[in-house]
Amino acid sequence: MEKTSSQPIPVTLITGLLGSGKTTAINSLLQQKPKNETWGLLINELGKVGIDSLVLQTTQQPIEVVSGGCICCSAAFGYQQALQSLLKQPLQRILIEPTGLGHPAKIIDTLRKFQPTVKLEQTLCMVTPQQLTPDFWQKSAVLRDLVSLADRLLLNKVDTATEAELSQAKATLNQGYPANPNPIFTLHGNPIDNKITDWLTQPAKRPFYRLEGIEQHQQLTQQHPLTVTTSLSHCITLEVFTGDTSSIGWQFSPTVQFNRVALKAFLKHTPHLIRAKSILRTGNEWQHLNHLPNQTSFEDIAWRQDSRLTLLLDQPLNIEQVSKLEQNLTKIVRNCDD
């Protein structure tokens, strides 16, 4: 709470499930921000081999990264430290991105402790039409809470949805309490009809309804480290956290190259995989990979320091399973110096 100005720093909280497009939305916000303003970024990554924070480093805005847990529970202390660090700098806004498994309630509670230095101005929730099926809406109390706590709901990646999926998504939102029949349609995190920044200064509705998903969130994110040694040459770091949702991350020497075709096959055939992210060297190029079931995308990136790959799986991991994953990875990576 190091701020000297009498005006609180506005905070925008950007929530959403895995793969909903939160990082892309932050990039859109930063591209549209006033050039004379400095915005602080607080990025939460479940694993310690971070990807999203590296993608956002090119924005040249102050970044604090909290890794190794969710800022709403297991990494709550790191969240408070990161906020305090950002507040030592002259900022006009702070953007907070929790993990795709995060729950906004505790994040909002912690922000209250920093009043009047900061003020939560908007909670934006990113969701895709494919996530808004009646079946998943019934199963995911976390999704229902994310939608209920959002000031503005951004229905993202609408270009990848059929008319039937869009109609179903809107019908599903009408089942919520309160109903949310008018989401903002977005492409790559950017609204079709307006700029995403148009809504940042509008009053927040601050809905606080009965929350159902906190216990489910805790079950999904409760993890413990698994002590294991990598068998991969030129691997700098291997870290594994196991639980109902497990995360595994590798960091490789910059001399390592990935075969894109083989990597896509590896991801497609890895059981229980729900999310993969990577920054990797493919030939002479470096690319940012995003993977969801049935969807893999590559984008060029300026990063050249190392290659990183993180996986999220919806089952506990043991040493034998990690060994099997690494055996499969040996078919994908090669060292240029060998």
Side-chain angles (χ1 to χ4, degrees), residues 90-137:
L91 302 173
Q92 283 69 51
R93 182 174 295 277
I94 294 174
L95 307 181
I96 298 178
E97 180 194 355
T99 76
L101 298 175
H103 194 287
K106 296 297 183 182
I107 301 170
I108 294 171
D109 289 344
T110 298
L111 281 172
R112 284 198 179 121
K113 299 176 183 178
F114 285 76
Q115 292 176 340
T117 307
V118 302
K119 176 186 177 182
L120 179 60
E121 200 165 69
Q122 286 279 330
T123 298
L124 306 179
C125 176
M126 312 292 300
V127 65
T128 68
Q130 292 83 359
Q131 292 169 335
L132 286 170
T133 65
D135 182 56
F136 191 59
W137 180 264

Side-chain angles (χ1 to χ4, degrees), residues 50-201:
I51 304 293
D52 291 343
S53 55
L54 302 183
V55 174
L56 291 169
Q57 277 186 4
T58 57
T59 63
Q60 299 181 335
Q61 302 299 299
I63 299 180
E64 289 291 329
V65 182
V66 183
S67 59
C70 281
I71 57 176
C72 48
C73 49
S74 58
F77 181 68
Y79 168 38
Q80 294 186 53
Q81 287 184 313
L83 269 177
Q84 288 171 339
S85 180
L86 282 176
L87 292 174
K88 294 176 181 178
Q89 306 182 60
L91 302 173
Q92 283 69 51
R93 182 174 295 277
I94 294 174
L95 307 181
I96 298 178
E97 180 194 355
T99 76
L101 298 175
H103 194 287
K106 296 297 183 182
I107 301 170
I108 294 171
D109 289 344
T110 298
L111 281 172
R112 284 198 179 121
K113 299 176 183 178
F114 285 76
Q115 292 176 340
T117 307
V118 302
K119 176 186 177 182
L120 179 60
E121 200 165 69
Q122 286 279 330
T123 298
L124 306 179
C125 176
M126 312 292 300
V127 65
T128 68
Q130 292 83 359
Q131 292 169 335
L132 286 170
T133 65
D135 182 56
F136 191 59
W137 180 264
Q138 251 345 90
K139 289 180 180 178
S140 179
V142 173
L143 172 60
R144 298 196 296 271
D145 284 359
L146 288 172
V147 171
S148 293
L149 286 168
D151 298 311
R152 295 204 173 270
L153 188 69
L154 306 184
L155 190 59
N156 198 29
K157 304 183 181 180
V158 294
D159 56 325
T160 67
T162 65
E163 286 297 327
E165 288 172 329
L166 287 173
S167 178
Q168 179 180 262
K170 289 190 284 186
T172 300
L173 290 173
N174 272 323
Q175 300 175 23
Y177 182 78
N180 201 328
N182 297 308
I184 301 160
F185 281 22
T186 60
L187 299 175
H188 310 294
N190 201 42
I192 294 173
D193 298 323
N194 301 87
K195 292 182 177 180
I196 195 170
T197 50
D198 291 347
W199 293 289
L200 292 189
T201 57

Side-chain angles (χ1 to χ4, degrees), residues 257-305:
Q257 287 186 341
F258 283 73
N259 181 302
R260 274 183 39 153
V261 174
L263 176 58
K264 289 175 72 173
F266 165 79
L267 297 174
K268 181 179 180 180
H269 295 107
T270 296
H272 300 278
L273 181 65
I274 56 175
R275 185 78 164 103
K277 292 185 287 187
S278 182
I279 291 177
L280 48 87
R281 181 180 179 183
T282 59
N284 293 323
E285 303 300 325
W286 291 71
Q287 296 186 306
H288 174 216
L289 172 145
N290 264 304
H291 173 84
L292 292 164
N294 303 316
Q295 181 184 344
T296 305
S297 64
F298 292 87
E299 293 181 359
D300 292 343
I301 192 168
W303 181 260
R304 295 293 188 273
Q305 185 171 313

